[in-house]
Amino acid sequence: QVNHKPTSFRVIARLIHGELSDTGLVNGVVCPGELIYHYYNNTVESHADDNSENIRFQLMLHSGDLYYSTSHLHPSLKLVPPYRHVNYTLYSAAEFPFSSIDMCQLEHGLQYLTLQGGDECSEYTLELQRLDAGAPCEPFEHQCLEACEVLCDRLGLDHFHYASCEPYAWNDYMYTVTEENLEHSLIAQVDTLTSGGSRDFEALGLYMWYGELPSVRTSDNKNTYSSEQMWSLAVNSHDLVAGNYFFSVKCGPEPTKYRMLLELVPSLISEGEVTAGEVCPKEWVYHYVEDGNASSIHHARFTLTVHSGDVYFMTRSDNPPIKLIPPYQTVSYIDQLSNQGTTEVMMCSLGVGKHYLGLYGGSACSNYEVQVEMLDGSEACNGLEHDSTVEGTVEDSMTHLVPGHSIVGSCEPYSYTDYYLYVSEADARDNLVVELHDSLSSVHTEALEISLHFGAIPSDRASQRYSKFSSNHVYTVAVNAWDLQVGEYFVAVKCGPRAVSYRIVPELFAAQLTHGETVAGEVCPGEMVFHYVNVENQGQGHNSEHVEYNLKLYNGNIRYKIQHEEPALKMVAPYATAHSADHFAGNNTSIQTCAVDFGQWWITLRAIGSCSEYDLSVSLKPSTEECTEFAHDPLDATSVNEIRADQFAYESCTPNAYVDFLFTIDEQSSKNLIVEVEDLEDSMNPKALSLYLYNMSISEDRLSEFRSEYSNSKIWTLAISSHDITNNNFYASVKCGDQSRRFRLIYYLITAHLEEDVWVHAEVCPNDWVHHYMDVSAIQETGDWGANGTVSILFELDVHVGDLFFTVRPIEAPTRLTPPYQAISSAQSSSPVHTSFCFLENYPSVHKYYISMNGGSECAHYSVRANLVTTCDSQFHHDPAALKTQSYTSLALGKHAYGTCQPNSYLDFKLEVSDEMASNNLVFEVEDLSVNNNPSSLTLDLYELYDSIPSVREPTRQVSVARDKLYSLALDYTQLQGGSYFASVRCESAEVQFRIAANLVVAGMSDKQYSFGSVAPSEWTFHYLQHSGAKNNVRFHVTLYYGDVYMLLARKDEPPGFSIRQYNLYMQAWDEAEYDYLYIDVCNVTTKSFVALHGGSVTSEYAIYVEEYDDGDQSLLNNSMQLPSNEHSTCQEHVDTLSGYINPESNAQTVFVSSRLLLVLLCLVNLLVIY
């Protein structure tokens, strides 16, 4: 393909010899993402002695870089350890770019050398050498990615690192955080230096990992889009840990020059010093001042100067804020220009400890300076008040859209223009389509974005109905007749990297069809449009009717399906397809369904590939006329590709389309079948492809028990064990997701029968079985049990990568994982595991002994062999701890851990609670970070005081419904104990990105202390003050920042509760919408004073302050939390709010009395009904 101007070129086709011998050299070339295989065929049987054959591959590079690995019998289908990387540019002129690759004590069969292209094409020469007997042979070791001498560069602080990258190539960097760095925030920035042309906001991507650089480049910490040509990531001081941090810069579709800067911003600031820093969108940076003077009270004044961008800011004591909840404010560079250039933030009446100013990135990266000044506590102080205007609202001045009328508009780069449309009750029976046409002279596929919202535009503007890609200047969103509701719909138009003028037009297409009338409509990819006709005759006999739809397409292709009473909500087989190319000659598609039943008959239309405009009409015909039921799309047998074992088949598929393959297994029940599909596109999409396997034939509905629909490694794998292969003919189907993909497919057979002293190399993936067996029929028939009269089988198992479960069984292979079994992983064992089945002479009727592998948490590559021995040193036994090896992530209090789980899978986390921590409240929170607001996307399970998560998952606590995308579980002061707590997050029907935090809410408080807390729905949080004896009364001040509290209670001496309400001082429901502050008095205290909050409908955030006082005490004024002045200095055991007193004796008790009276009346009514 030529882009812009005529170009001369040449094409060369080269054959690169795969088989090697010791008689000559082979020249070859390998390019990025490609695999080249070379092999040597060893015809000599292997012997475990010094006479075994050793070979050496001499690899000489002439350009570029590549990875290499070795394997036996089968080539490597993907890059898995052990492998190494070699780069021509790393050698000086005096050195020779030469690598020796030894393979020692060769086994019988093919010995493979796999070469995979690196960042650029590599020309090479390869020579095979047989090593003399006794010559040293050294198998290469895996090149650890943390070594970094080859695969990444070490970054220095505060210095620009200049580099460039080719399209879709990666450059890797590392920085080691030491213990001395932990009081800092780590900030990485990349900005593009490529000049000329338009600004590309996806020109680069910045990714970050901790601990190691993964082979699969997926990360929860990434920045792949920037409107400022600067990509930034940060780790704040609260989350920073010592160790290696890896950063990767990835180019977009064009070569790009860039520079990278790494900074450490100090968190601790000293009085009078100016600290400079930077914070970018959705990142936290913390600064704090430490007050160690317990003898006097101080205020702190932070002065914040913003030089660019905008930030949110809030204050907290003891612990930094980890989410943006009131009270907070915002300030921008523009704001400060009109306000003398600084913003002062006060923290009042501070105690001993750390006092934080938290900065949260706004709409653009912000450079700032901050300093702090400590003031005398006797001075007046006004603490931070919440700015309620910060929270975004929908503008009242939106333009009204009218169906069938277009409106011209425009938007600035990366800004929104909003519209609203009212759907009446009559309109709600139709299909709604909103089209957006850009005015650009040439196609810019992401010039605009359109989204549709019902009821209101949410603050995060997330929507399930959106379009942000177009190849023909038109962006479309739709709501079909089945989903359309009465009410206000809001349309948001967003510009891409340039200002764009556009035309927007909403259309209503009638859903109901009338005999003889034609309806015009349109349907676009990803959307479905419904139409229906009412059939009033009862059907059956001479009164029944035929329905005939007449479909005329003007462009595109459509799939259609007929269904009775309700539309097909998913386009699954059986269905049929209409092509506009068939209609250009004046032909239409006639769709007949015969002798129909009474009711509504729906036709569902779904576009394929591009938008399609159509005319549709319907006719009702008497049953006496001829009728031919329309034919569904058949499975086209001619499109099936026949493939052979161990050979790649390269194909591609269009969105939601299938590609089918047929293969035949010659040897039945003696091999394990493995089928693998690899995505060849650059982008990572776990749902890009799906793999299905069928025996004998492809089912019409394409349902299969053998399927793989998700992959985080770009490889989808299916296995059928030798035990389950019952027929020789298999079909493999590959289905594309919502985008076209290129892929390759291969199947291979793994030997089940183990010959003595022969290694078999294989792979097993999660939940799959692979069986191997040794046949001892010959010994059983001859009765030759050796000189000692005893024979055992010794199995050797070596796992090279991944993990698996294995079991040893006589007679037949297992069908499910039941004891006895053991677990093994490459991380646990660096040498083969030995296990035996002993004393075969005791089982004269048993001829086969199986060792069976069951996939663990990831695909495992392993080798296994069997030998007959005369001793038994390692009888196979069950390991009860086998399932206790599941991986989990350790949680740190108050710090987020991020994760992404696949459908129907778990991610596990562990928190160790010390005995000191156990005297407080503990809240676990999981936040759904996906754009969709699905209240049932996740389930949070809690296992209290467990050594590990049991194999049968029966949690002690569980929550499966979110409030505001937040799942919360809590252990209150009376429940929390020292020990191990496991939190398990399960994805339900879709992949979800989330974050989890465990937050400690202080229970025991001291006089004149304030703290921040949260209470989860239907859970308790307790606070108490141990009476000092200095004063008689205690007052708790509580400010509710967010949410509602089902009940607020107080009690002397013991924690309050619902079942002991006669001992409670009061009980009061509380909603932040009614009032946000109250105080509680506990009078004549002798030991402890308790206050308890019981969670309402959402996880609620609040602040609490406690102080001791005597009647008439005038020191109750509490300005440190911006609470109102206390006009009542006499202790009264009731709740005082901004809206007045609520007396428990006249309120809460009345509620309970009324409830009892109502219950009695209901009982009397029931008795009267009975009698």
Side-chain angles (χ1 to χ4, degrees):
Q1 181 184 26
V2 177
N3 289 328
H4 303 297
K5 58 183 179 180
T7 303
S8 299
F9 60 88
R10 63 179 182 176
V11 176
I12 301 176
R14 299 175 58 178
L15 282 176
I16 301 174
H17 288 288
E19 185 172 8
L20 298 174
S21 66
D22 57 354
T23 59
L25 304 177
V26 170
N27 294 314
V29 61
V30 60
C31 288
E34 300 292 345
L35 293 171
I36 294 290
Y37 300 127
H38 297 281
Y39 64 90
Y40 165 68
N41 188 9
N42 180 31
T43 59
V44 180
E45 295 292 338
S46 60
H47 301 281
D49 54 39
D50 292 338
N51 294 324
S52 297
E53 186 172 15
N54 302 325
I55 62 173
R56 174 172 294 161
F57 295 106
Q58 297 281 23
L59 176 65
M60 179 169 42
L61 286 194
H62 305 297
S63 63
D65 68 304
L66 57 80
Y67 299 86
Y68 62 82
S69 64
T70 60
S71 58
H72 178 228
L73 294 182
H74 299 286
S76 299
L77 305 180
K78 53 189 174 184
L79 195 64
V80 296
Y83 59 81
R84 292 189 71 82
H85 179 262
V86 60
N87 193 331
Y88 175 77
T89 60
L90 294 180
Y91 296 92
S92 67
E95 293 179 319
F96 203 57
F98 189 81
S99 295
S100 296
I101 308 165
D102 290 356
M103 295 187 72
C104 309
Q105 295 186 351
L106 297 186
E107 302 170 51
H108 180 268
L110 300 181
Q111 318 294 323
Y112 279 91
L113 173 67
T114 299
L115 306 179
Q116 177 168 319
D119 293 329
E120 55 184 304
C121 292
S122 178
E123 300 273 352
Y124 64 88
T125 298
L126 188 64
E127 179 184 9
L128 173 69
Q129 299 176 355
R130 286 192 179 93
L131 300 182
D132 296 333
C137 183
E138 300 179 358
F140 74 88
E141 296 181 353
H142 178 56
Q143 183 175 30
C144 177
L145 293 179
E146 289 189 11
C148 278
E149 285 83 2
V150 175
L151 295 182
C152 59
D153 298 328
R154 289 184 178 272
L155 289 173
L157 292 174
D158 303 320
H159 291 283
F160 282 112
H161 180 96
Y162 291 84
S164 62
C165 51
E166 294 301 312
Y168 304 109
W170 300 80
N171 288 343
D172 302 324
Y173 306 91
M174 188 184 84
Y175 180 75
T176 301
V177 174
T178 64
E179 295 290 339
E180 292 75 17
N181 300 146
L182 296 185
E183 289 294 330
H184 295 74
S185 296
L186 179 64
I187 299 175
Q189 292 179 346
V190 174
D191 57 314
T192 179
L193 301 176
T194 301
S195 59
S198 60
R199 288 154 55 91
D200 184 356
F201 300 96
E202 295 180 339
L204 295 170
L206 178 60
Y207 300 75
M208 179 174 66
W209 298 271
Y210 173 77
E212 63 179 359
L213 193 65
S215 57
V216 178
R217 300 295 185 102
T218 57
S219 175
D220 293 319
N221 297 309
K222 62 185 178 183
N223 185 347
T224 58
Y225 184 92
S226 172
S227 61
E228 304 174 291
Q229 298 289 278
M230 177 182 288
W231 292 258
S232 175
L233 290 174
V235 185
N236 60 62
S237 57
H238 194 56
D239 295 331
L240 196 66
V241 294
N244 292 331
Y245 282 83
F246 292 84
F247 300 90
S248 288
V249 178
K250 182 184 180 183
C251 256
E254 299 293 335
T256 304
K257 296 179 182 179
Y258 65 87
R259 63 180 184 179
M260 184 172 183
L261 178 66
L262 199 65
E263 297 178 287
L264 283 173
V265 178
S267 294
L268 175 62
I269 53 179
S270 302
E271 187 174 6
E273 292 184 0
V274 177
T275 298
E278 181 172 6
V279 61
C280 285
K282 298 184 179 180
E283 302 282 1
W284 279 104
V285 172
Y286 303 126
H287 298 283
Y288 71 88
V289 63
E290 197 159 15
D291 190 354
N293 191 342
S295 60
S296 61
I297 301 296
H298 295 93
H299 309 315
R301 178 167 60 204
F302 292 95
T303 302
L304 179 64
T305 304
V306 177
H307 299 297
S308 64
D310 60 307
V311 297
Y312 297 89
F313 58 90
M314 58 190 300
T315 58
R316 285 288 188 270
S317 290
D318 299 327
N319 293 296
I322 61 173
K323 53 185 176 181
L324 195 66
I325 58 173
Y328 60 82
Q329 294 188 19
T330 184
V331 64
S332 70
Y333 169 66
I334 300 300
D335 296 335
Q336 289 195 341
L337 284 179
S338 59
N339 189 29
Q340 288 75 49
T342 62
T343 298
E344 292 186 351
V345 186
M346 297 294 297
M347 295 185 72
C348 306
S349 301
L350 303 181
V352 175
K354 296 180 179 179
H355 307 284
Y356 287 87
L357 173 68
L359 304 178
Y360 185 73
S363 61
C365 291
S366 176
N367 289 283
Y368 64 87
E369 292 178 346
V370 63
Q371 55 184 321
V372 68
E373 181 181 3
M374 303 301 292
L375 305 175
D376 190 286
S378 62
E379 298 181 14
C381 181
N382 295 316
L384 181 68
E385 295 183 352
H386 181 55
D387 182 1
S388 60
T389 64
V390 172
E391 298 162 345
T393 58
V394 178
E395 296 293 335
D396 296 330
S397 58
M398 291 183 188
T399 303
H400 182 205
L401 295 175
V402 178
H405 296 271
S406 64
I407 289 180
V408 176
S410 63
C411 51
E412 295 300 313
Y414 300 104
S415 67
Y416 289 90
T417 304
D418 299 326
Y419 303 86
Y420 76 94
L421 169 74
Y422 182 75
V423 175
S424 65
E425 187 172 352
D427 296 337
R429 304 187 184 100
D430 297 331
N431 301 282
L432 173 65
V433 178
V434 182
E435 283 190 351
L436 180 67
H437 301 251
D438 70 46
S439 61
L440 300 174
S441 57
S442 60
V443 173
H444 189 290
T445 56
E446 297 182 354
L448 293 169
E449 178 180 337
I450 183 172
S451 58
L452 190 62
H453 313 266
F454 179 72
I457 299 178
S459 57
D460 61 1
R461 290 186 174 268
S463 174
Q464 296 183 14
R465 303 183 190 276
Y466 65 92
S467 175
K468 59 181 181 180
F469 183 91
S470 173
S471 60
N472 61 354
H473 303 278
V474 180
Y475 305 76
T476 305
V477 291
V479 187
N480 59 60
W482 192 258
D483 295 332
L484 196 62
Q485 304 177 59
V486 176
E488 285 188 330
Y489 280 85
F490 294 85
V491 180
V493 177
K494 180 184 179 183
C495 264
R498 66 182 73 180
V500 178
S501 298
Y502 56 80
R503 181 170 58 88
I504 184 171
V505 55
E507 294 279 2
L508 285 169
F509 299 114
Q512 184 173 1
L513 302 173
T514 305
H515 176 75
E517 293 186 1
T518 299
V519 171
E522 181 182 15
V523 60
C524 288
E527 306 286 356
M528 288 191 290
V529 170
F530 304 140
H531 300 277
Y532 69 91
V533 62
N534 284 321
V535 176
E536 298 179 355
N537 290 331
Q538 294 295 325
Q540 306 297 326
H542 66 279
N543 289 326
S544 63
E545 293 180 300
H546 308 314
V547 175
E548 181 179 9
Y549 299 93
N550 198 281
L551 178 64
K552 168 70 174 180
L553 297 185
Y554 295 99
N555 55 288
N557 306 313
I558 282 181
R559 284 202 178 108
Y560 58 89
K561 182 170 183 165
I562 309 296
Q563 197 161 290
H564 187 220
E565 293 299 353
E566 61 182 34
L569 302 181
K570 295 177 67 176
M571 187 60 70
V572 295
Y575 52 74
T577 306
H579 304 274
S580 60
D582 298 335
H583 296 182
F584 292 157
N587 300 320
N588 296 344
T589 296
S590 176
I591 310 164
Q592 292 185 338
T593 183
C594 307
V596 299
D597 292 333
F598 169 82
Q600 289 182 341
W601 283 86
W602 292 80
I603 180 170
T604 299
L605 306 178
R606 180 164 188 151
I608 306 172
S610 61
C611 294
S612 182
E613 295 174 310
Y614 62 88
D615 287 340
L616 181 66
S617 61
V618 68
S619 299
L620 300 177
K621 298 183 177 181
S623 59
T624 55
E625 293 190 13
E626 184 178 345
C627 179
T628 302
E629 196 80 25
F630 79 97
H632 298 124
D633 288 350
L635 290 173
D636 186 2
T638 61
S639 65
V640 175
N641 305 288
E642 292 194 28
I643 57 175
R644 296 180 179 179
D646 302 318
Q647 293 187 5
F648 282 114
Y650 289 81
E651 281 290 349
S652 63
C653 51
T654 55
N656 301 306
Y658 291 87
V659 179
D660 300 323
F661 302 87
L662 169 66
F663 55 91
T664 301
I665 298 176
D666 295 330
E667 302 174 62
Q668 184 172 323
S669 298
S670 61
K671 302 278 188 179
N672 300 281
L673 171 64
I674 307 291
V675 182
E676 290 190 342
V677 171
E678 182 181 5
D679 181 3
L680 299 180
E681 300 293 347
D682 293 325
S683 60
M684 177 66 184
N685 181 356
K687 297 179 181 178
L689 298 170
S690 297
L691 173 62
Y692 304 91
L693 202 56
Y694 308 90
N695 200 203
M696 291 292 290
S697 64
I698 300 176
S699 61
E700 184 176 359
D701 59 8
R702 287 191 176 269
L703 297 178
S704 174
E705 295 176 348
F706 298 100
R707 61 184 182 272
S708 176
E709 299 174 320
Y710 185 95
S711 171
N712 58 10
S713 63
K714 302 182 75 171
I715 293 181
W716 288 256
T717 303
L718 286 175
I720 299 183
S721 70
S722 58
H723 186 268
D724 295 327
I725 294 178
T726 59
N727 188 277
N728 291 3
N729 294 322
F730 284 89
Y731 289 86
S733 287
V734 179
K735 181 186 178 184
C736 262
D738 56 4
Q739 294 180 336
S740 298
R741 308 298 278 195
R742 295 177 300 113
F743 64 87
R744 63 180 182 180
L745 179 140
I746 191 171
Y747 83 91
Y748 51 95
L749 300 170
I750 296 174
T751 301
H753 183 202
L754 298 177
E755 301 288 347
E756 189 171 3
D757 202 28
V758 176
W759 283 102
V760 170
H761 304 279
E763 179 182 11
V764 62
C765 287
N767 301 318
D768 286 335
W769 280 102
V770 174
H771 303 304
H772 306 277
Y773 68 88
M774 190 173 192
D775 193 329
V776 296
S777 301
I779 299 178
Q780 301 286 16
E781 292 173 1
T782 61
D784 182 8
W785 303 110
N788 297 331
T790 182
V791 172
S792 301
I793 298 179
L794 174 65
F795 292 105
E796 295 176 80
L797 176 61
D798 191 4
V799 177
H800 310 298
V801 65
D803 64 290
L804 57 81
F805 298 94
F806 69 95
T807 183
V808 175
R809 302 288 175 90
I811 305 176
E812 62 182 20
T815 58
R816 61 192 182 97
L817 191 65
T818 58
Y821 56 81
Q822 295 183 23
I824 181 175
S825 72
S826 58
Q828 295 172 323
S829 177
S830 58
S831 59
V833 171
H834 295 153
T835 191
S836 300
F837 196 97
C838 298
F839 313 125
L840 305 188
E841 65 275 10
N842 294 333
Y843 313 96
S845 62
V846 177
H847 300 293
K848 291 183 179 180
Y849 292 85
Y850 287 84
I851 181 168
S852 297
M853 317 298 170
N854 184 248
S857 62
E858 58 179 320
C859 292
H861 293 257
Y862 67 90
S863 300
V864 62
R865 73 174 172 180
N867 280 293
L868 295 175
V869 296
T870 57
T871 59
C872 182
D873 299 325
S874 53
Q875 171 69 48
F876 178 74
H877 62 280
H878 180 56
D879 180 6
L883 282 182
K884 296 182 181 180
T885 60
Q886 78 265 8
S887 61
Y888 57 80
T889 301
S890 295
L891 291 176
L893 285 174
K895 294 188 177 182
H896 281 118
Y898 290 80
T900 302
C901 53
Q902 287 79 50
N904 303 309
S905 68
Y906 294 90
L907 282 183
D908 300 322
F909 303 85
K910 181 181 180 181
L911 177 70
E912 288 291 343
V913 175
S914 65
D915 291 336
E916 295 178 351
M917 293 160 51
S919 59
N920 296 287
N921 309 279
L922 180 64
V923 180
F924 289 91
E925 292 183 345
V926 173
E927 183 180 0
D928 181 349
L929 299 178
S930 59
V931 296
N932 300 325
N933 189 4
N934 179 2
S936 301
S937 61
L938 298 169
T939 296
L940 172 60
D941 294 340
L942 188 62
Y943 300 85
E944 304 170 45
L945 305 177
Y946 275 67
D947 293 330
S948 65
I949 296 177
S951 56
V952 178
R953 290 179 177 254
E954 296 180 350
T956 54
R957 297 169 187 261
Q958 183 181 80
V959 59
S960 56
V961 177
R963 277 88 164 185
D964 290 345
K965 304 178 75 171
L966 202 66
Y967 301 78
S968 301
L969 286 174
L971 295 164
D972 64 52
Y973 153 77
T974 66
Q975 299 167 331
L976 190 61
Q977 303 178 50
S980 299
Y981 292 80
F982 289 86
S984 184
V985 181
R986 171 185 166 89
C987 270
E988 296 304 328
S989 59
E991 173 192 342
V992 178
Q993 183 182 353
F994 65 87
R995 62 181 183 180
I996 181 173
N999 300 315
L1000 206 64
V1001 180
V1002 174
M1005 302 182 69
S1006 57
D1007 183 34
K1008 292 182 171 55
Q1009 176 190 352
Y1010 69 84
S1011 180
F1012 292 88
S1014 61
V1015 57
S1018 303
E1019 303 281 6
W1020 287 101
T1021 297
F1022 292 103
H1023 301 276
Y1024 68 87
L1025 176 69
Q1026 181 72 48
H1027 186 50
S1028 65
K1031 297 186 178 182
N1032 293 321
N1033 310 318
V1034 172
R1035 178 165 291 177
F1036 292 95
H1037 304 262
V1038 187
T1039 300
L1040 185 61
Y1041 290 125
Y1042 174 76
D1044 59 279
V1045 175
Y1046 174 69
M1047 201 63 70
L1048 186 69
L1049 304 91
R1051 186 185 177 192
K1052 298 177 185 177
D1053 303 331
E1054 299 291 340
F1058 290 145
S1059 60
I1060 50 172
R1061 60 177 179 268
Q1062 64 270 27
Y1063 301 110
N1064 298 332
L1065 299 181
Y1066 60 81
M1067 299 175 67
Q1068 174 60 44
W1070 188 13
D1071 189 335
E1072 183 262 343
E1074 300 177 17
Y1075 45 88
D1076 58 9
Y1077 162 75
L1078 55 78
Y1079 71 79
I1080 308 154
D1081 283 343
V1082 182
C1083 308
N1084 301 316
V1085 179
T1086 56
T1087 56
K1088 289 183 178 180
S1089 305
F1090 283 88
V1091 64
L1093 298 90
H1094 190 76
S1097 62
V1098 297
T1099 300
S1100 301
E1101 307 289 341
Y1102 62 90
I1104 185 168
Y1105 179 89
V1106 62
E1107 54 186 338
E1108 296 180 326
Y1109 73 102
D1110 289 324
D1111 287 348
D1113 198 334
Q1114 299 301 312
S1115 64
L1116 287 175
L1117 185 64
N1118 179 14
N1119 285 329
S1120 65
M1121 291 177 58
Q1122 287 300 293
L1123 305 182
S1125 300
N1126 297 318
E1127 299 176 358
H1128 310 285
S1129 59
T1130 302
C1131 187
Q1132 303 179 63
E1133 290 181 342
H1134 57 229
V1135 182
D1136 192 13
T1137 73
L1138 292 182
S1139 55
Y1141 289 106
I1142 300 178
N1143 192 318
E1145 297 181 358
S1146 62
N1147 189 344
Q1149 293 180 11
T1150 302
V1151 170
F1152 287 110
V1153 171
S1154 301
S1155 300
R1156 291 169 183 161
L1157 287 174
L1158 180 59
L1159 182 61
V1160 171
L1161 289 174
L1162 288 173
C1163 292
L1164 290 174
V1165 170
N1166 287 334
L1167 288 173
L1168 289 174
V1169 171
I1170 292 173
Y1171 287 102

